[in-house]
Amino acid sequence: KVGRHLHRRAFLAGAAGVAAVPVLLTAGDLRAEPPTAGDPLGFTPIAPSKEDRLITPEGYEHQVLIRWGDPLFPDAPDFAPDAQTPEAQKRQFGFNNDFVGVFPVEGGPNLLLVVNHEYTSGEDMFVAYEPGVNRLQAEIEMAAHGGSVVEIAPGPDGWRVLRDSRFNRRIDASTPMTITGPAAGHALMRTAADPEGRTVLGMVNNCSGGKTLWGTWLTCEENFNFYFANAEQAQDASLKAVHARYGVSKKESPSRWEAFFDRFDVAKEPNEAFRFGWVVEIDPYDLTFRPRKRTALGRMKHEAATTALTKDGRVAVYTGDDQQFDYVYKFVSARAYAPSDRTANLDLLDEGVLHVAKFHDDGTGEWLPLTIDNPALKGHFADQGEILVKTRLAADAVGATAMDRPEDVQPNPVGGKVYMTMTNNSKRPAPGEPKGADAANPRAANLNGHIIELIEDGDDHGATRFRWSVFLLCGDPAVDLKTKPEEIKAGLPTAATFYAGYADPSKLSRIAYPDNIAFDARGNLWIATDGQPKTEGIGAPNDALHAVPTEGPHRGHLRQFLSAPSGAEVCGPEFTDDGRTLFCAIQHPGEGGLTPNTISTWPDGASLPRPAVVAIRRTDGGPVGA
């Protein structure tokens, strides 16, 4: 049954090719051949690596554009790893960069670079880390969260940071923010410090994000639950159940900020956690714009917030809830986008309908509305504000499809198909068991992850129904070809990888843990990974960036473009409009080794590795990947 949704026609065409390939490949081998005529990807793929360096194909170069601690302002101090202060960090580039976006600066070639700073790992920041003991370290960590806006300018030697730009800005875990939309002012959003329930300090664990058509930055709070403590001490049983559904720490939190700030202690302030887990909208052009938490988009572990226009001109926002057995969502605005009135669009995301995806085994699906008039929710939630604060519980109630860690969800600007990464789910049971493998999540103990391709009815992002199929079942095709040839020929997804039916596994790179994605101007899908070093099934190489055509004869021909340094993941791939620069965030180099770090000295050759954003370009000046 599942095989029908692996692009069956493409699979049958590819199966003949698979049968003709001699089963002589060593697991993970790749024929790194130059591209042929008509190939939409014009680079020679690189081999997986475990080296502590950033590797790109022949004919490419990269520069480290900005790293943790680099000054953002003329008066900001240089980075001093042994003399960090909260005041310095608030004026320096933050830690663990994730989402990367670029916006044009009017009147020239400069860009505004916006970057999320997802989380801190104190053991990688301080020589002697003392969580819950050292208040200064906690304040530095809070200052290292959030995001950065920085103007960059092109030059003959690459891009450079303009420290004197009027646009440069840091947002952190203490920046005042406005709560907007249906949950603003709700009883669940009120605290002792904010009895109106409309203002909150800061954003945390901002992972991926998106950009709007009107030039604002959507930054997504993901694993906010790790910052709150003592949920088991909550007095209200119903609130305790909500905190449990979101994974709020039962006892002390990993960061131990609650030792210094009562708002992170659920026993002392039970509602503060409800004020996190939102999509935050920021205007990178306006320093006076107070960041706005858009509650109409729901509360969850947001991985992305990517936008597209519906056929009647409204705005759709796609997002994934990054946890095993959670859901994929789509918000559709009530009002239409106004191309000639930017100000009118600044509140566009406060009114509309949030939907959650239901995937049917026949390859169809529907977007279920999470509204108070939905019979499945009416009577169980008091109002729309409560539904949005408790989005996961509402999605449970309407019977959404529990997915394998849905992360990035993005429409392809070429053709409009929507691609969804499912990073992994080691806890997925066998088919027939509760929450067992199903058509949309076809592998039990899904260690490698997969990607779904979705087509909205009528090619309309405002549609409430869709068709879907599996685009990639990640893993190592060479292993499957050698050990499971009959399963591959039969199209059994529980035993084999699947690369959109591409015929020759010897030309395919291995991949696992797909995370962030992006598209180039030709509609090729670029996939950043987070977790490949944990996956022995593909040889545990470093994380990477891969590219794969989505249409034509090379559809499914996935090749590796970049290898990250040891311990690092690749995040937030972003192309310039002319395609001549590809920006990527390299997050947490050195993570996963001993404490203190023993596996990475990237990017400076020092004992303290530093997360950084890199800019990649072709040495001949042509478009990246072409």
Side-chain angles (χ1 to χ4, degrees), residues 37-263:
D39 191 336
L41 293 173
F43 65 88
T44 301
I46 67 169
S49 172
K50 297 184 181 182
E51 295 183 60
D52 183 33
R53 63 188 182 103
L54 194 147
I55 304 171
T56 54
E58 183 179 353
Y60 285 84
E61 60 186 5
H62 76 273
Q63 68 170 123
V64 176
L65 176 61
I66 189 167
R67 54 176 71 70
W68 167 47
D70 283 353
L72 298 184
F73 308 94
D75 62 347
D78 290 331
F79 182 58
D82 297 329
Q84 299 179 57
T85 67
E87 294 76 21
Q89 180 63 86
K90 285 176 177 288
R91 302 186 64 74
Q92 297 167 335
F93 194 67
F95 198 71
N96 272 344
N97 32 227
D98 198 290
F99 173 80
V100 176
V102 292
F103 294 86
V105 175
E106 187 176 3
N110 292 2
L111 297 173
L112 295 186
L113 182 80
V114 301
V115 182
N116 288 354
H117 300 298
E118 185 179 359
Y119 70 98
T120 53
S121 48
E123 61 273 13
D124 297 320
M125 296 174 66
F126 308 108
V127 174
Y129 183 44
E130 301 173 299
V133 176
N134 190 321
R135 182 187 179 105
L136 181 66
Q137 289 180 345
E139 292 176 347
I140 294 168
E141 287 186 284
M142 293 177 71
H145 276 71
S148 295
V149 180
V150 58
E151 186 174 356
I152 59 175
D157 298 322
W159 294 87
R160 61 189 178 91
V161 170
L162 302 181
R163 294 187 189 177
D164 58 353
S165 171
R166 63 188 176 89
F167 297 111
N168 291 2
R169 184 180 183 186
R170 273 300 321 279
I171 299 100
D172 59 39
S174 300
T175 301
M177 302 187 175
T178 299
I179 300 168
T180 70
H186 196 278
L188 291 170
M189 301 290 273
R190 300 171 191 163
T191 65
D194 175 31
E196 299 298 320
R198 296 181 180 273
T199 302
V200 62
L201 294 180
M203 58 186 192
V204 296
N205 212 269
N206 293 71
C207 193
S208 191
K211 301 186 295 184
T212 66
L213 298 167
W214 49 97
T216 59
W217 165 27
L218 300 180
T219 172
C220 299
E221 295 182 300
E222 191 193 29
N223 292 307
F224 67 91
N225 54 303
F226 293 136
Y227 299 81
F228 294 90
N230 300 322
E232 67 179 7
Q233 296 181 33
Q235 299 300 308
D236 186 306
S238 63
L239 296 190
K240 185 183 294 187
V242 179
H243 291 319
R245 179 66 179 84
Y246 281 82
V248 175
S249 303
K250 292 182 179 180
K251 297 182 179 179
E252 64 185 28
S253 72
S255 67
R256 301 289 303 277
W257 292 353
E258 70 275 7
F260 314 109
F261 305 97
D262 286 351
R263 67 187 180 112

Side-chain angles (χ1 to χ4, degrees), residues 427-484:
K427 298 179 181 179
R428 176 72 67 177
E433 297 183 27
K435 293 187 177 181
D438 55 28
N441 304 278
R443 294 191 290 202
N446 182 9
L447 300 178
N448 293 325
H450 62 287
I451 296 177
I452 289 175
E453 183 180 73
L454 182 149
I455 302 173
E456 299 277 23
D457 272 10
D459 295 321
D460 183 2
H461 293 291
T464 57
R465 294 186 178 275
F466 57 83
R467 291 171 288 127
W468 67 270
S469 52
V470 174
F471 179 69
L472 292 181
L473 283 174
C474 300
D476 187 347
V479 171
D480 289 325
L481 182 61
K482 183 175 182 179
T483 63
K484 311 274 187 176

